[in-house]
Amino acid sequence: MGKPGNIRLTGTIVIPMDQLEELVPLLEEHIILTRKEPGCLHFDVTQDAETPELFHVSELFIDACAFDAHQRKGAQRRWGAASADLDRDFHKETL
């Protein structure tokens, strides 16, 4: 999956149990908005079946410009501000 020049980001994000009720709706809104962004080829965030506070992230953007635009937009959304301090373990690569 992916073509030369695409940007892929994979990894995990942890939403503490006591913040799930507040943050999951913001995350769901962020996912919907991201999938509509120009240059977004794939964007999934799925909750781990065995560890509910762990979310698996898989993103694919057409190029670095689209990925960078996504990062800026995400930071401006309600999800961006509310999730700024969450633990993330991401790996970004150019295909």
Side-chain angles (χ1 to χ4, degrees), residues 1-9 39-42 58-63 93-95:
M1 182 168 129
K3 296 181 178 180
N6 288 169
I7 302 295
R8 177 171 41 207
L9 184 134
C40 177
L41 300 173
H42 170 83
S58 175
E59 305 179 10
L60 185 66
F61 288 86
I62 196 163
D63 58 22
E93 62 183 320
T94 302
L95 304 180

Side-chain angles (χ1 to χ4, degrees), residues 76-88:
Q76 296 170 352
R77 293 184 183 137
R78 294 186 309 158
W79 162 254
S83 70
D85 294 332
L86 297 181
D87 288 335
R88 292 170 164 84

